[in-house]
Each structure stands twice: as C-alpha cells, then as structure tokens.
Amino acid sequence: MSESVSSDPILVASGIHKKYRMGSEEILILQGLSMTLAEGEILAVVGASGVGKSTLLHILGLLDTPDQGTVTFRGEDLFALPPKQRAERRNRVFGFIFQFYHLIPELTALENVLLPSMIGPGFLAWRRVRRERREKALGILGDLGLSHRLKHRPAQLSGGERQRVAIGRALMNDPAVLLCDEPTGNLDPVTRVGVQEALWGLNRRRGQTILVVTHDERMAAEAHRVARMDHGALVEESTGGASA
Ligand SMILES: Nc1ncnc2c1ncn2[C@@H]1O[C@H](COP(=O)(O)OP(=O)(O)O)[C@@H](O)[C@H]1O
Ligand SMILES: [Mg+2]
C-alpha cells in the first residue's frame, strides 16, 4: 500500500440495506453492506452486472437513499442531515464520473468543466468568481492533457477525451471523494490506460481518494484494495499492486 494512504477513514458505510419494488416483487439489492474508504486510497469495487454496484455508488454519493444504514463522511452522518445541507455535501464532497460521460452536448469542453461551479452562486456572485473559475478549469484541463481541445464539443472528442473532460468537471469543486462508475467501460484498451493514468495521477499528485467500480482487470489490479460485491455485501478480495 502506498505511503500516502492513511488509516483514517474518510467515508464509512454501515449496515446499508436497499431494495427495489418491481410490481408485487421486492428485489433485495444491498443487504447490510458495510465498507470503509481510507483517506487517500483507491478502492476498486468489482462484481457481476446487476449486483448493485451502481446502487451503492449512488447511495454513497447521496444521489439515492438507503432503506436502512448510515453513511458517514469524516464522522458526520450524511443521511441525518436536513435536505439542504445534504445537497451541499453532495456538491462539495463528491465528484462523479460515469461510464457514458454525461456531458452536455451543446457545451464546449471548457464550458462542461465550468458548469458545476456555476451551480450555487447567483448571477452576481458568478460574475465575481468567473475569471478565477475559468483559470482553474483551464489548469485542470491542462493537467488532463486537453489544452488543445477547449472549444471542442463532446461530439468532436474521442471517447477517452470525453471521459477526461468528465473527470475535469468532477474536479472543479475539489471533491474529497471521487466516485467512478465503470469509467473505462466504454473505452478501447489503449484509451482506457490514459483514463486510468489520469485518475491514478490525481491520487499520486494530490492524494485524491477514489472509489472506482470497474470490470477493467488492470484497473482493479492496480488499485490499493479490491472489494467484490456479492449477495448484497462487499468482501475484501486482495491487496492490489497500486502502481503509485
Ligand atoms: N430504480 C430502480 N428500480 C428498480 N430496480 C432497479 C432500479 N435501479 C436498479 N435496479 C435493479 O437493481 C439491481 C442492481 O442494479 P445496479 O446497482 O445498477 O447494478 P450494477 O451496477 O452492479 O450492475 C439490478 O437488478 C437493477 O435492475
Ligand atoms: Mg452499474
């Protein structure tokens, strides 16, 4: 395990239950799942399609609610917070990266990255911080090797470039935890390496804590830790090789 991984938990899920109702049938997805994410670590979550990996990610990132159980961030019980504060934590604490990028097609790469920082401040506040935010977005896109693609729209970008724009967008609010749902699932093997390198570089350079759901064997092998989801719970699999 790399030296930058501390033993302090940053995110802890405890006794998470989640079921969906389909007509008269109840489908149990998460059944008392518990997990701990340490500050500065890369945890890979693997498991068969449909076991509930995305459901877990959505609950951890406050996009969905558990039926039972708690999620604490640096000791704070997130689901005990009133809705407004919970929404604030969602925006400030978590960055999301999805398999299919979810970029806005009408916006350029730079505008897509700027978007999250425009949510929240009113128009006047945005005018005040616009220049600084733009500088930040340019810096992030530069670090991701996208300085030559600022004015391209998603349709004019390769899959790997699109995903790196999505990573840039996720970084704008300096998330404490990056939640990635099969970030290389839609990419060819060569492009995958570039996206993984972008994520791992964030961990190396700034100690970014990352939880990544993946079917990508290389990614899982190079994470600090691997946990497999099975029957609604997570089982620690192995300590990966962390290419840090
Ligand atoms: N909103 C929903 N309503 C009903 N069933 C759902 C809903 N979301 C997910 N499911 C079901 O829950 C199971 C787990 O889904 P998901 O978390 O997406 O799995 P994974 O990401 O591991 O492939 C699947 O069987 C899926 O069909
Ligand atoms: Mg999924």
Side-chain angles (χ1 to χ4, degrees), residues 11 13 16 20 29-30 33 35 37 43-45 52-65 71 79 90 94-99 177-183 210-214 229 234:
L11 195 67
I16 302 287
Y20 290 115
I29 310 292
L30 306 178
L33 180 146
M35 58 145 269
L37 191 59
L43 171 66
V45 171
K53 303 182 298 297
S54 295
T55 302
L56 171 65
L57 229 59
H58 296 160
I59 289 173
L60 292 176
L62 310 179
L63 296 171
D64 201 352
T65 50
V71 174
F79 287 104
R90 183 189 307 128
F94 300 103
F96 291 93
I97 295 161
F98 303 99
Q99 180 176 356
V177 178
L178 263 189
L179 298 172
C180 315
D181 198 351
E182 303 194 35
I210 300 175
L211 190 160
V212 59
V213 167
T214 189
M229 192 179 285
L234 277 177

Side-chain angles (χ1 to χ4, degrees), residues 10 24 30 80 97 110 136 170 179 210 229 236-237:
I10 183 166
S24 60
L30 306 178
I97 295 161
L110 178 59
K136 180 170 181 173
L179 298 172
I210 300 175
M229 192 179 285
E236 181 108 6
E237 205 155 68

